[in-house]
Amino acid sequence: MLQRILTFFERYSFGVCTYLGERFNISISKIRLFFIYSSFLAVGFPLIFYFFAGIVLDIRNFIKRKHTGVADL
């Protein structure tokens, strides 16, 4: 049951923690814990950052897909 919940969130999340972990070579679970703990301490500011970064990454991936489609012609 717990594994299904974790798989659901990993599949449908923005991928911000994965991107940051790969970019800075840090464990993804440590980044997730940082967002959780800091959101309690900073009254939700990290969540705003997370959603903003997710939107930026989503737009960035969308633009990359569009550029590769045009280059294939």
Side-chain angles (χ1 to χ4, degrees):
M1 179 69 175
L2 181 62
Q3 186 61 35
R4 286 180 34 198
I5 293 170
L6 289 174
T7 304
F8 173 79
F9 280 113
E10 288 176 357
R11 184 178 298 150
Y12 295 109
S13 66
F14 291 117
V16 174
C17 294
T18 305
Y19 175 77
L20 291 174
E22 291 174 356
R23 181 86 170 147
F24 297 115
N25 199 15
I26 301 173
S27 173
I28 298 168
S29 61
K30 289 181 182 179
I31 294 173
R32 287 181 180 147
L33 286 175
F34 170 76
F35 274 112
I36 292 169
Y37 292 146
S38 62
S39 65
F40 285 121
L41 295 175
V43 192
F45 177 72
L47 293 176
I48 295 169
F49 169 76
Y50 184 87
F51 287 124
F52 179 72
I55 291 169
V56 169
L57 287 175
D58 195 35
I59 291 171
R60 197 169 150 203
N61 289 337
F62 178 74
I63 291 171
K64 282 184 181 179
R65 280 183 283 177
K66 285 290 188 180
H67 283 288
T68 58
V70 174
D72 292 337
L73 294 175

